Every structure is written in structure tokens, then in C-alpha cells.
Amino acid sequence: MKDSNGAQYRFTLAVRLSHWIWLLAFAVLVSSGLQIFNAAPYLDASDASNPARRVLSIDSPQDGVGTTTLFGHTVKTTGWLGWTDDGEGGKTARAFPGWITIPSYQDLADGRRWHLFFAWVAVLCWLTWIVSSARKGNLREMLLSRSDLPKLWPMQAYYLRLRKTPPPYGTYNPLQKAAYTLIGFVIAPLVVLTGLALSPGVDAISHPLTMLFGGRQFARLWHFAGMLALIAFFCVHVFQVATQGVVNQMRSMITGWYRGEHA
Amino acid sequence: MKRQLFIATSISAALAGCAPIGTALNDNAGVRKVLASVEGIDDAFIGSSGALAREYRESDVAPVFRVNGFATPSDANYRGLLASYYAKYRLVVDGAVERPYAFTLAQLRALPQSTQITRHDCVEGWSVIGKWSGVRLGSVLDAVGPRSNAGFAIFHCMDRDDSGTPYYESLDLRQAYHPQALLATSLNDEPLDPDHGAPVRLRVPTQLGYKSAKWVNRIEVVENFAHIAGGNGGYWEDQGYEWYAGV
């Protein structure tokens, strides 16, 4: 649908609402997830906890010192990780600092309440986005297809200024499609399924799900890694919006109308 | 690049501003009520299935079963139990039951025994696998006969927190009759030791570890638990944790 000025009605109300509610849910899920992580600040590639298979741990070996150990390599992260602000004006042995957790002070029970509520919100947003995009035909524009594969490198080359022009594309360029496909259909489901695998009740119903990820602790590791991937996507996404006509981009996700090239 | 810098600064400022807002919302009673509303949905979707927790092999058992939670009781009553090799121990089962009874340890061991190798999942995030033996909770309840108004089993424990508040837990009767809900008297083929809840502790492998109350000495069958302690059905539940601990 286009108006007389050539603007395109790109995002339906359902897509716009689910986009912004998802942003809120994502912020809450990350901050409450880090709160929950703080209760056991290590990740093992195993089913039951096993220090011999420890991939990441954030510790405070002594008062005033914070360390982070990744694959056996330890670096001092005092002030950032391990020894951080307690959310109540002091410093304490705590993996992630109070300014990034909800609530800011250490409280596993409250962190879980936020996390388990907004997990449902996020899943509902994801379903709304999928269903409404599919109905409007937008989903096909966003998903990576076989014909996009040969265009991936030329598009990257264009971004790296190795090529003067991008390969021809429709509403979204091949790299955008790759990112949306990866995030929407691989990483988001992975984060939801690994989260479910942490539940002893879900594990009883579907133990193969837990074992698919290598066990409960391994699922916790994937869940954390999935969060990092979503944060990386968020940063790239915000950078792209900020550099590719921020006013037009923001307007389109608020009003639905997109103007200009590729409209 | 000025515009990007402006946007990046705005986003950072917005994030930093979120922390106090989030904490204020967290401490708001109305918000807490909304957040807690999903617990019933989780129980309906996941808890009601009655599925069995996976049972592991002997070789999966951890050499050391991690000890967590309250300190082992050290009061005169518990020291007396230890000194008598639990001869003085009684598991009182009373409340809304037809035949209230005080079981000795020998009587519990004389009932049909059940063994499970299951994973204990702590709410903090860690897990450990152990081999538990004891009597099915359902067998003990059958022996006393819950009345028709019975809704929940309350597990009263001998341990207390630093301020003297006793530990307790609860299960509804559906959960209590789950075939893996166990009153365990042995861990890894040894009689249960004091640090792991001797002489009798609860094992509920389909829910998080805080449900598996240690040092149980009374099971009170009740219609509901609103009048008990903080009214939320357990020590940690009174601190804000979920009553349905399957997630």
C-alpha cells in the first residue's frame, strides 16, 4: 500500500506493537536474567554441575577483587564483573553489577518473577510478529531465500566499500534478511527452548529437549550465549537504524509509513 | 558522526535511568501481583502433567552431593536424636486425616521402599545427581487416610534460620501422590547423614530443590495453608519464591 507521496505502509499495528513490547521484554529479560545468573555465576558444558567442564565463571577471590574466567583464562574485572556495586550504594562480591540487574539489589526470587513473566510476553510478541507478518506477506520479504545466497558477499563487499553499488534487492537487503532469519528463526527459538529446558517440570515432560542441548547446565550455557547473540543483533540493529535515516526508520516503526528508496 | 554519538549517548543514559525505575517497579505491590500471575499458568501447563523426572544410571551419581541451604540443626532436641541413633525420632502425620500416627524410623523403613537416581535442580541454577531411597510419600498418606477436605500436605522441619524462623514446605495432594515424591532415608546407599537432612527428608525431583525439605518431623494435612506462617506454603515461598517450583 502506498500513499500519494510514494510512502509505503510497511508495518501493521500488530507488528509495531509487538516490536516495541518486545524491546521492553528484552530489556527486562536481560536484566532479570543477569540477576538470576548472579545466584550461580558460572556456566558448565554438562548436565549436572561439573567444575571440570566449566566454560565461564565470574568470581571474587578476595574482597575488592573481581575476576572473570573464560575457558580457563582469568582476567581481572574488578568494578565490572565479580566485585561490583551491590545496587544499594556499596560494593560487594557479585557477578553482574546492580546498575544492570532488576531489581538492582541481589534478589533471586524477584529476578525470577520478572523473568518468568516477561518470558511469556516475549513469546507472545514473537508469535504475533510471525503470524501478522506472514498474513501481510512481509515474512517472505524478510526471510533469506536461496536466491539471496549469491548476493550475501557482494552486499558485504559494498558495506566494506570494496564495491561501489549493492546487489539489486527488494525491501530488505540480503544481509538484513540473513540477520532477521537467524535471529527470528534460530536464535529466538533457541533461547526459548533452552530456557524451558532449565525447568525441572519441563525436563520431566520432555527430557530429550534438555539432552538435545547437552543437559541442564549446558542448556544454561546456550541460554546465556543466545542472550549475547541477541544483544549483538540489538547493537547492529540500532546502529543501522541510526545511520540509515533515523527519522524515517523510527517513523515507520511508530506510524507504519516508510518513505524513500526501497519503499 | 555527531548524530550517532548523540543517539549512543541517549541510549546509554536511558539504560542507566532504567535501573532505579526497574527497582521502584519491583517494590510496587501491584506490579508484584501482575508478575506473580503467570505462576498459575506454569502450574497448569507444566505441573499438571504428572510426568516422571528422568532416572539416571549409577555411574551418573555425583561423588559428593552438594550441601546447601540452612545449617544442620544443633539444638538439644536434634542432638538428642543423634545421640539416640534416631530411636527417639517420630514422624508425626496428623491434621485432616482419619488415623493420625507417629511413625518411628524403623516403621518407615518397614513400608515398601522405593529408590530413584534423579537430578536435584537448585533454584540458584546448579544441579547434582544422587541416589535416594525411602518410602513413597503416597504410601505414608495412604496409611493415615487423608479426609475428603484434605488439600495440602505441610512438611514441618527441625531446622531454623538465623532469626529462629522454622523451615517448612507444602505440596498439594496431587503432587504428594506423584510416584517420585519420596520420604528419603538414604542417600547414595548410605543412611542419610545430618547435613543432608537425616533422618528423613523429602525428595521432589520434578520441582526445584527448595521443595525437597530436609529434617522433616511432622506432616500436617490441611485444607489450605493460608493460616500457616507467612501463608504462602513454604519458608522460601514466604520470601517471594514460587509455590509451584517446577520452573
Side-chain angles (χ1 to χ4, degrees):
Chain A
M1 181 165 55
K2 286 193 182 194
D3 72 3
S4 52
N5 298 324
Q8 181 199 25
Y9 188 65
R10 187 179 268 193
F11 302 116
T12 62
L13 183 65
V15 167
R16 283 175 279 144
L17 271 179
S18 60
H19 174 271
W20 293 113
I21 296 173
W22 202 86
L23 173 64
L24 171 73
F26 181 60
V28 171
L29 285 167
V30 168
S31 54
S32 58
L34 297 178
Q35 169 77 258
I36 294 168
F37 175 88
N38 275 354
Y42 42 79
L43 297 168
D44 297 348
S46 54
D47 182 21
S49 297
N50 182 358
R53 304 260 297 169
R54 195 140 291 172
V55 171
L56 172 75
S57 71
I58 301 176
D59 309 286
S60 176
Q62 63 188 78
D63 273 7
V65 178
T67 60
T68 299
T69 306
L70 185 64
F71 292 110
H73 301 281
T74 302
V75 287
K76 221 177 230 188
T77 48
T78 307
W80 294 96
L81 299 166
W83 183 267
T84 60
D85 90 81
D86 63 3
E88 295 172 297
K91 298 268 178 196
T92 191
R94 194 171 190 248
F96 285 96
W99 62 264
I100 205 172
T101 64
I102 184 167
S104 53
Y105 50 84
Q106 185 60 32
D107 193 320
L108 174 60
D110 290 356
R112 282 172 51 82
R113 295 281 186 186
W114 283 97
H115 206 74
L116 300 184
F117 181 87
F118 277 93
W120 279 108
V121 174
V123 167
L124 291 178
C125 283
W126 184 80
L127 287 174
T128 305
W129 172 66
I130 296 285
V131 171
S132 57
S133 300
R135 275 182 53 209
K136 288 277 165 192
N138 293 65
L139 207 53
R140 211 172 320 128
E141 293 180 339
M142 294 181 80
L143 286 183
L144 196 68
S145 63
R146 189 167 292 177
S147 62
D148 292 315
L149 295 180
K151 296 182 189 166
L152 283 172
W153 169 245
M155 192 67 213
Q156 184 63 55
Y158 168 71
Y159 275 135
L160 296 173
R161 294 165 201 261
L162 298 173
R163 226 182 107 114
K164 283 212 173 76
T165 55
Y169 61 87
T171 306
Y172 300 103
N173 77 52
L175 284 177
Q176 280 177 302
K177 289 165 121 182
Y180 289 131
T181 307
L182 186 67
I183 289 300
F185 292 88
V186 180
I187 305 294
L190 175 84
V191 169
V192 172
L193 292 175
T194 52
L196 284 170
L198 298 177
S199 145
V202 171
D203 185 44
I205 293 168
S206 177
H207 192 67
L209 174 73
T210 311
M211 294 322 282
L212 175 71
F213 301 116
R216 182 179 190 239
Q217 298 302 312
F218 217 141
R220 202 167 168 257
L221 173 59
W222 287 118
H223 197 62
F224 191 90
M227 172 199 70
L228 294 180
L230 291 177
I231 290 174
F233 170 80
F234 173 79
C235 293
V236 172
H237 178 69
V238 169
F239 176 80
Q240 298 274 40
V241 169
T243 54
Q244 315 272 320
V246 63
V247 176
N248 193 24
Q249 299 274 5
M250 291 297 281
R251 178 179 47 222
S252 69
M253 197 41 97
I254 293 169
T255 67
W257 291 91
Y258 183 90
R259 292 184 190 168
E261 206 187 347
H262 295 290
Chain B
M1 286 307 276
K2 258 192 186 155
R3 182 186 256 176
Q4 280 99 296
L5 195 68
F6 171 75
I7 290 166
T9 316
S10 316
I11 290 172
S12 312
L15 282 175
C18 282
I21 296 169
T23 305
L25 288 173
N26 180 71
D27 299 341
N28 177 292
V31 171
R32 300 180 74 88
K33 210 168 175 178
V34 172
L35 294 181
S37 64
V38 295
E39 187 184 333
I41 300 173
D42 292 337
D43 193 6
F45 269 100
I46 302 165
S48 65
S49 81
L52 297 180
R54 189 215 171 169
E55 305 219 3
Y56 289 82
R57 295 164 304 189
E58 296 269 353
S59 57
D60 296 319
V61 172
V64 177
F65 196 93
R66 181 171 168 178
V67 172
N68 198 46
F70 285 17
T72 305
S74 56
D75 58 303
N77 172 52
Y78 192 72
R79 285 204 312 272
L81 288 183
L82 289 180
S84 74
Y85 296 96
Y86 308 115
K88 290 180 185 163
Y89 174 81
R90 295 291 182 278
L91 177 68
V92 174
V93 188
D94 62 0
V97 297
E98 298 295 342
R99 301 171 293 278
Y101 196 79
F103 294 85
T104 66
L105 199 51
Q107 285 172 326
L108 289 175
R109 290 201 170 121
L111 288 167
Q113 300 290 293
S114 169
T115 295
Q116 57 174 262
I117 301 175
T118 48
R119 201 184 61 211
H120 178 93
D121 292 335
C122 181
V123 66
E124 293 172 350
W126 50 269
S127 310
V128 56
I129 295 168
K131 180 182 183 183
W132 303 92
S133 298
V135 56
R136 282 202 183 106
L137 179 55
S139 309
V140 170
L141 289 173
D142 279 340
V144 297
R147 293 210 184 111
S148 58
N149 64 338
F152 298 87
I154 310 292
F155 303 87
H156 296 282
C157 305
M158 293 182 268
D159 52 326
R160 291 164 183 275
D161 71 6
D162 294 339
S163 67
T165 307
Y167 198 93
Y168 75 106
E169 255 305 336
S170 66
L171 296 174
D172 66 25
L173 285 197
R174 190 195 69 213
Q175 296 167 344
Y177 274 99
H178 187 282
Q180 288 173 319
L182 198 68
L183 287 168
T185 52
S186 116
L187 168 61
N188 298 345
D189 297 317
E190 300 281 346
L192 207 54
D193 62 292
D195 288 346
H196 290 98
V200 176
R201 76 170 295 171
L202 187 60
R203 252 312 274 162
V204 186
T206 50
Q207 296 195 48
L208 295 169
Y210 62 87
K211 279 282 167 184
S212 294
K214 297 161 145 181
W215 305 293
V216 176
N217 68 350
R218 182 182 170 211
I219 301 173
E220 183 190 5
V221 178
V222 296
E223 200 170 338
N224 67 68
F225 49 66
H227 62 288
I228 296 169
N232 299 295
Y235 176 86
W236 288 112
E237 288 83 338
D238 287 338
Q239 321 289 320
Y241 286 86
E242 292 86 1
W243 175 80
Y244 172 61
V247 185

